[in-house]
Amino acid sequence: MMKLPSIQHLYKDLLTVVKRFPLQFVFIIVATVCWTYYIHLDRYGADSLLNAALQKILIKAILISNLGLTLTLALDLLAEKKAYKPGKKWLIRIFAVLSCLLLFFLLDPADNFADQLRIALMAFAFHLFVAFSPFMDKGQINGFWQFNKVLFLRFLTAALYSIVLYGGLAIALVAIDGLFNVAIYWKTYMIVFAIIVAGFSPVFFLAGIPTNFEQLEKEAAYPKGLKIFTQFVLIPLMTIYLAILLFYEIKIMVSWSLPKGLVSSLIIGYAVFGILSLLLIYPMKEQEGNSWIKLFSRFFYSMLIPLIILLLLAVWKRVEPYGITESRYILILIALWLTCITVYFLFSKRQNIKLIPISLAILTMLAVYGPQSASAVSKYAQITRLKKILYSQKAEDLKEKPSVVKYLVSKHGLSALQPFTSKNLTHIENVIDSRDDYQYVKDKIKVDTAFSTLKINDKDIYPADTQYTFLSTDHDFPAISGFDYLLDINSYENTEKVFNGIQIKIDRTNDKNLIINLGDTAKLAINLTKIFEESVELVKAKKLKSTKNYNEFLLPANKLTFSKIVKNYQFTYTIGQIRGYKTGSSLQKNWFDIEAHLLIKKL
């Protein structure tokens, strides 16, 4: 039976973590505070644009804190193993912190896909660095395995305790809400979740990291549960995957057809589960009666050879006609790494399992920055591809040009197209970015600018989603004179209120129409689709005045006002703003974002 740790035990562990890992504790606090503050921010209020900018900063702080936590942890473990003096240890820590600060000001993950990828790659590499940093010297294979066994089990334990703790607290909040009529909103649950995931879980994990690395090399204990899990769960699953993949490979050879894209994910999944299984049962291969493990090891890497060939064929099928992108770059990197690892374990007598995380970490870091990085190679490949098809009139090239341009603008910015024009695209991009508008609107303008600059028309091939926003002429200062009450309407939720015995129920289950039920019989039906389409037609006829924002127009207030009299009360529904998308001649999913009020006047 699982027993949760006592408060005294948790407090002792907290003191241990603060003393042993002070910088890591600071990063945990920063991430937790930023996450909780992020939850508090209102995304749809009057300060939504300001809050959106602040949210980007908070997200970046959370991501960089994660990098800082893993990087400093790896370096601290290395320093502990090498028995560095406090001065040298703090010098390394300061270097790591300065590196994280540099990354914070250098990267822009909210608006730059390349930076998102860089952070993801660095996070993966730093986690791998934690796994082998105390055991970078030759030998100590058993110590390395025992260390990672402890980390693996500690991680699972932290996850289990976190789930149980959050579940218990969430149930307690529900009970308080139901028994004492205390309004507990969803943000409270999210904040509790953030504190447990970003605060409690990593601190609990850090408290269980081994301190005596030399003792680990002498450790011979092997968890029986881990053996059973690997032997009866992981390996049978792998066998099923292998059978499916081998039969599929035979099908390809018989039908002589190229592999489907899904096969890449299946092969990588098989390889990951297989290598994980081999790592989990590694110490058992020298024990008597476990000769099947050696056989399985050889069999696994032998069977990887045809699967790697199949993986390379699947990648080539996508790269040859469409060029390299970041995802295909990573697939190629994984395929090459699997090839090298397979050759090593098939023909090397040393069988050094430390090579697995070390080699993968090095390759991952090489993909972060430089001419060989994922972003640089992908950008170069797609620019080269665009140069070949830009002036072509072939049907297939005409279809490909818009997708290539959209990829380059969305992943690498408008300035990536500078080789194709004399216009200063960097300046144009800076002007667009300086607009006081939502990011998706800026991205849309950039794509439209690219198509206009390169004289590419994708309307007939890929009908673009066009956003329209219509504001009431009194949107900023709605007239409420003569009314007694006002009810704000949330665009995304159904609303149920009771006013002087009249039940008000606003139904948004159907986005095409909005139904306001006023009592048992009275209804106020508003055809949102009709309002939106008629307004779009007025735009096309140039009968509406536009604002400074992209595709935003003013509508007379009376066209967005609807009234109904019920029981000596006048209910007036006023739409301040309606936003939607249109694709060609049809609406995009009949979805509308609305800001509205319900005004009530006693007659």
Side-chain angles (χ1 to χ4, degrees), residues 75 98 103 110 127 129 194 245 308 316 328 348 360-361 373 395 405 417 422 428 449 460 482 494 527 561 593 603:
L75 292 174
L98 291 177
L103 289 174
H127 278 80
F129 189 21
L245 292 171
I308 290 173
W316 174 79
R328 293 166 199 157
S348 174
L360 194 54
S373 67
V405 171
L417 300 174
S422 58
I428 295 174
T449 302
D460 297 327
N494 295 334
N527 192 326
T561 302
D593 176 22
L603 299 178

Side-chain angles (χ1 to χ4, degrees), residues 165-229:
L165 184 59
Y166 177 73
L169 292 175
I171 293 173
L173 291 174
V174 171
I176 293 172
D177 191 350
L179 296 176
F180 301 101
N181 293 323
V182 178
I184 298 178
Y185 300 100
W186 66 271
K187 286 186 177 182
T188 304
Y189 294 92
M190 291 302 299
I191 289 172
V192 172
F193 179 80
I195 292 173
I196 291 175
V197 172
F200 168 80
S201 186
V203 170
F204 183 84
F205 173 81
L206 291 175
I209 295 180
T211 56
N212 191 337
F213 301 112
E214 302 299 332
Q215 181 62 33
L216 290 173
E217 182 63 24
K218 304 173 184 178
E219 183 69 42
Y222 188 93
K224 186 176 180 181
L226 200 59
K227 177 182 177 181
I228 294 173
F229 173 74

